[in-house]
Amino acid sequence: MKTDPVITFENISFSYHKRKILEDVNLLVKEGEFASIVGPNGGGKTTLLKLMLGLIKPDTGKVRVFGKPPEQAREKIGYMPQYAHLDMNFPATVLDVVLMGRLAKRKLWFSKQDRQKAVIAIDEMDMASYINTGFSELSGGQKQRVLIARALCSNPSILLLDEPTANVDHETEVNLFSILQKLNNDMTILLVSHDLGFVSKYVKSVICVNRRVVIHPTTLMDGAMIKDIYHGDLKMVRHDHRCSEGGHCHD
């Protein structure tokens, strides 16, 4: 059974323009995890991902990915940001966009292997029939799939997704999570989502972020105790049940 830690945060604090975003964060993500990162706007969800990627440095504490500083393990991470900064007028095909995921491994041009990896990633996201279609011609849900394929193209061990189902319909969301469940057999997946009620049916645990971080297993219990984090009634997270390295304990 996969239980080795792949990401660890030790006493992490981070501020932006003197505003405290994260404080005293300790986090351990084990290999094979499939977790949703939830919390209020400005609570530190995207900041958490950027620290894992080494795109920003903590003010205090230590981040390790596969036992190394994040920047040294970045090639093992596939990342889909919340916003795709792509010019919709640029004539890029689906294959062109997905090949961007191989740029870190290329210095001059894409190899045959790069293209093979891109085709495999596109097929995994059920977008093979659109491989030569212009990215700007796709629907919102199709674009999200292509951007995830771009993250998969690097053959990652960890997949980080920031709001992968934003602005897509329910059917598209269901199909996407079915694909992610299959991918979870081969990689660790962390995703930011506001739709806790939906993602709880798929993920194994929930990482609650609001300056501090607490991890909870997903259940179908009354989530009244999460009001301080999410400012509303939720029914998918138990806050009387805490996971630790020593096992589960009840308050």
Side-chain angles (χ1 to χ4, degrees):
M1 185 176 179
K2 297 177 179 180
T3 57
D4 296 334
V6 294
I7 300 172
T8 57
F9 279 44
E10 296 180 12
N11 304 314
I12 294 295
S13 293
F14 179 84
S15 299
Y16 183 72
H17 292 320
K18 296 183 179 181
R19 183 172 74 89
K20 185 74 74 174
I21 306 297
L22 295 173
E23 183 177 6
D24 295 329
V25 171
N26 290 283
L27 174 66
L28 187 152
V29 177
K30 294 186 177 182
E31 185 178 2
E33 181 62 271
F34 187 10
S36 176
I37 301 171
V38 303
N41 290 332
K45 301 184 298 296
T46 297
T47 298
L48 205 67
L49 295 187
K50 289 183 176 180
L51 285 165
M52 293 174 186
L53 287 159
L55 298 178
I56 55 177
K57 301 285 187 181
D59 298 330
T60 61
K62 183 171 68 174
V63 180
R64 289 292 180 267
V65 179
F66 295 108
K68 302 177 182 178
E71 56 272 20
Q72 295 180 19
R74 200 174 289 156
E75 287 193 5
K76 293 185 177 181
I77 305 174
Y79 173 53
M80 176 190 152
Q82 185 174 0
Y83 303 106
H85 300 288
L86 298 172
D87 185 349
M88 291 299 105
N89 293 317
F90 188 78
T93 66
V94 166
L95 180 59
D96 294 330
V97 172
V98 175
L99 276 170
M100 293 178 188
R102 301 291 295 180
L103 286 173
K105 301 178 183 297
R106 296 295 111 208
K107 293 184 178 180
L108 296 176
W109 55 77
F110 293 117
S111 67
K112 181 179 179 180
Q113 183 184 27
D114 291 328
R115 294 181 180 277
Q116 289 174 339
K117 292 287 186 182
V119 170
I120 291 171
I122 292 169
D123 186 55
E124 282 185 302
M125 297 308 298
D126 292 338
M127 290 295 292
S129 59
Y130 296 90
I131 193 167
N132 294 315
T133 301
F135 184 77
S136 61
E137 299 173 37
L138 303 177
S139 68
Q142 289 170 336
K143 287 176 181 174
Q144 296 293 75
R145 289 191 184 203
V146 172
L147 294 175
I148 295 174
R150 182 178 68 174
L152 290 174
C153 196
S154 62
N155 198 29
S157 299
I158 301 172
L159 186 61
L160 304 180
L161 308 174
D162 198 348
E163 296 281 7
T165 58
N167 304 314
V168 300
D169 59 48
H170 179 70
E171 183 179 357
T172 300
E173 194 173 24
V174 170
N175 291 337
L176 181 56
F177 269 87
S178 295
I179 293 170
L180 291 177
Q181 276 189 311
K182 294 177 183 177
L183 291 174
N184 183 227
N185 291 325
D186 300 312
M187 64 189 69
T188 302
I189 301 177
L190 302 182
L191 61 94
V192 173
S193 176
H194 284 294
D195 193 353
L196 179 57
F198 175 79
V199 300
S200 293
K201 295 180 291 185
Y202 297 92
V203 300
K204 300 171 183 175
S205 58
V206 175
I207 301 172
C208 300
V209 184
N210 190 2
R211 288 185 62 176
R212 297 178 185 273
V213 171
V214 183
I215 305 177
H216 301 279
T218 51
T219 73
L220 297 178
M221 291 186 64
D222 185 357
M225 294 182 70
I226 201 174
K227 283 184 177 181
D228 288 339
I229 291 178
Y230 233 97
H231 310 298
D233 290 324
L234 296 170
K235 297 182 179 179
M236 294 291 178
V237 178
R238 280 180 67 174
H239 274 230
D240 67 333
H241 190 74
R242 183 170 65 250
C243 290
S244 67
E245 291 190 60
H248 294 171
C249 61
H250 298 270
D251 295 326

